[in-house]
Amino acid sequence: MPAEPADERRSGPLLQHLARRMRLRSESVLTPLGLRVRHLVALTVLRDSGDISQQGLAGTLQIDGTNVVGLLNDLESAGLVERRRSPTDRRRHVVSLTGAGATRIREAECALADAEDEVLGALAPDERELLYDLLRRASQGCAPTCTEAATESPDAC
Amino acid sequence: MPAEPADERRSGPLLQHLARRMRLRSESVLTPLGLRVRHLVALTVLRDSGDISQQGLAGTLQIDGTNVVGLLNDLESAGLVERRRSPTDRRRHVVSLTGAGATRIREAECALADAEDEVLGALAPDERELLYDLLRRASQGCAPTCTEAATESPDAC
DNA sequence: TAAATAGTTCGTGCTACACGAACGATCGAT
DNA sequence: ATCGATCGTTCGTGTAGCACGAACTATTTA
């Protein structure tokens, strides 16, 4: 047998696992704030990527455009985001975070402290910060639409 | 207003976001291997945490015990895991990864290379390795059952 | 003017799960 | 030896998240 038993460890399954645990923990905490997890995900994306069209948001969140409508209806009726018509293309809506939205995100993040403590309890504070930084950069890296990368597939496995 | 606008950045939403992207990307790749994402998550947990009861697996995966049965039925009929009665408590099933299961994980991880490249494309190879290490340690940290921590809630936010 | 595009609304269907009930096998306590 | 609790199993039911398609309006582009 070969010495190395194929060191092909992928983050995918671990990401799924931790995300599930985090989601279950977060839901009960977020409910009193009138938010679902997906709302907070959308708000966070919006905060990190700035103004964006609904189509762009659908691409980033990887959800169907028709479902973006309902998601934004929730957030807009709560005053957390704003839909303005794009001046350059009046078909488009430019979605942006409001001041209230930014505040609500901070409140939610604060409320999530316990959930994060439970799920990431094994990590030291500086490690959690490192994790956050990696996740944020990975998230922004494929922000606009990764879908365009579907063509290239240099599978050298 | 205070100088610091509350630097309460949480990893939760980013975890959800990236996990979703990763899951969507992974599904099509895993299908030819006869696996769903949740199967690979279970196998990975099983590999990392060693033998475990079904109840313990339900706690770690945070899914209902009745659904663990079906999940393990899939994996066992594919020869990837084994159910043996515990010698100390014959009510229990001790679930363990088989050699074929370990092999299949490696195959799956290999096949997931493209998906990971797309989702984590913004990270350098050593950063991805770092991310994997953090995720794995966080995952193992709350392995047995975090549920016991539900009682304590020293919310000092 | 015609065709394509962004967003909206509605309906349909699928999948993942939670949850409860009922059952057999087994353990623990009495 | 008996009884209640526990583990795993099977079945059924319900719900939530989403994808997908159709039809429509407003707008841009060819």
Side-chain angles (χ1 to χ4, degrees):
Chain A
M1 63 177 69
E4 280 300 316
D7 199 1
E8 285 285 357
R9 300 299 163 82
R10 299 294 170 199
S11 300
L14 296 174
L15 221 41
Q16 303 301 324
H17 182 202
L18 287 179
R20 176 180 180 80
R21 298 194 73 110
M22 188 73 82
R23 178 169 52 79
L24 292 174
R25 272 321 193 181
S26 303
E27 275 167 357
S28 53
V29 176
L30 253 35
T31 302
L33 286 163
L35 291 176
R36 319 297 298 270
V37 172
R38 71 188 114 97
H39 293 136
L40 192 53
V41 173
L43 289 175
T44 304
V45 165
L46 229 39
R47 179 195 62 188
D48 291 351
S49 67
D51 295 358
I52 190 175
S53 74
Q54 295 190 198
Q55 193 171 244
L57 196 56
T60 301
L61 296 175
Q62 298 270 266
I63 64 179
D64 192 84
T66 62
N67 295 317
V68 172
V69 176
L71 190 61
L72 290 181
N73 285 347
D74 295 345
L75 296 174
E76 192 174 35
S77 66
L80 307 179
V81 304
E82 223 176 26
R83 279 192 261 218
R84 299 185 310 266
R85 300 231 81 115
S86 164
T88 67
D89 184 345
R90 294 184 41 76
R91 289 170 302 179
R92 275 184 160 82
H93 276 159
V94 175
V95 183
S96 54
L97 202 62
T98 64
T103 301
R104 186 67 60 87
I105 289 184
R106 286 197 295 272
E107 291 167 355
E109 282 172 333
C110 181
L112 286 176
D114 282 4
E116 187 166 309
D117 278 348
E118 288 184 26
V119 178
L120 303 182
L123 300 182
D126 60 326
E127 289 175 323
R128 291 193 206 177
E129 204 165 336
L130 186 56
L131 176 65
Y132 176 83
D133 184 59
L134 289 172
L135 293 174
R136 190 186 45 77
R137 286 177 41 221
S139 177
Q140 287 183 329
C142 56
T145 35
C146 277
T147 36
E148 68 215 14
T151 56
E152 63 156 333
S153 58
D155 192 345
C157 193
Chain B
M1 61 177 69
E4 279 301 314
D7 199 0
E8 285 284 357
R9 300 298 164 83
R10 300 293 170 199
S11 300
L14 295 174
L15 221 42
Q16 303 302 324
H17 182 198
L18 287 179
R20 175 179 180 81
R21 298 194 74 110
M22 188 73 82
R23 179 170 51 78
L24 293 173
R25 273 318 192 182
S26 303
E27 275 166 355
S28 53
V29 177
L30 254 33
T31 302
L33 286 163
L35 292 176
R36 319 297 298 270
V37 172
R38 73 188 110 100
H39 293 137
L40 192 53
V41 173
L43 289 175
T44 304
V45 165
L46 229 38
R47 179 195 61 188
D48 291 350
S49 66
D51 295 359
I52 192 176
S53 75
Q54 295 190 199
Q55 193 172 243
L57 196 57
T60 301
L61 295 176
Q62 298 269 264
I63 64 178
D64 193 84
T66 61
N67 295 318
V68 173
V69 176
L71 191 60
L72 290 181
N73 286 347
D74 295 344
L75 296 174
E76 192 174 36
S77 65
L80 306 179
V81 304
E82 224 176 25
R83 278 192 264 219
R84 300 183 311 266
R85 299 233 79 113
S86 163
T88 66
D89 184 345
R90 293 184 43 74
R91 288 170 303 180
R92 276 183 160 81
H93 276 159
V94 175
V95 184
S96 54
L97 202 62
T98 65
T103 302
R104 185 68 59 88
I105 290 184
R106 286 197 295 272
E107 292 168 353
E109 283 173 332
C110 182
L112 286 176
D114 283 4
E116 186 165 311
D117 279 348
E118 287 183 26
V119 177
L120 303 182
L123 300 183
D126 60 327
E127 288 175 322
R128 293 194 204 177
E129 204 165 337
L130 186 56
L131 176 64
Y132 176 83
D133 184 59
L134 290 172
L135 293 175
R136 189 187 47 76
R137 285 177 40 221
S139 177
Q140 288 182 329
C142 57
T145 35
C146 277
T147 36
E148 68 215 14
T151 56
E152 64 154 334
S153 58
D155 192 347
C157 193

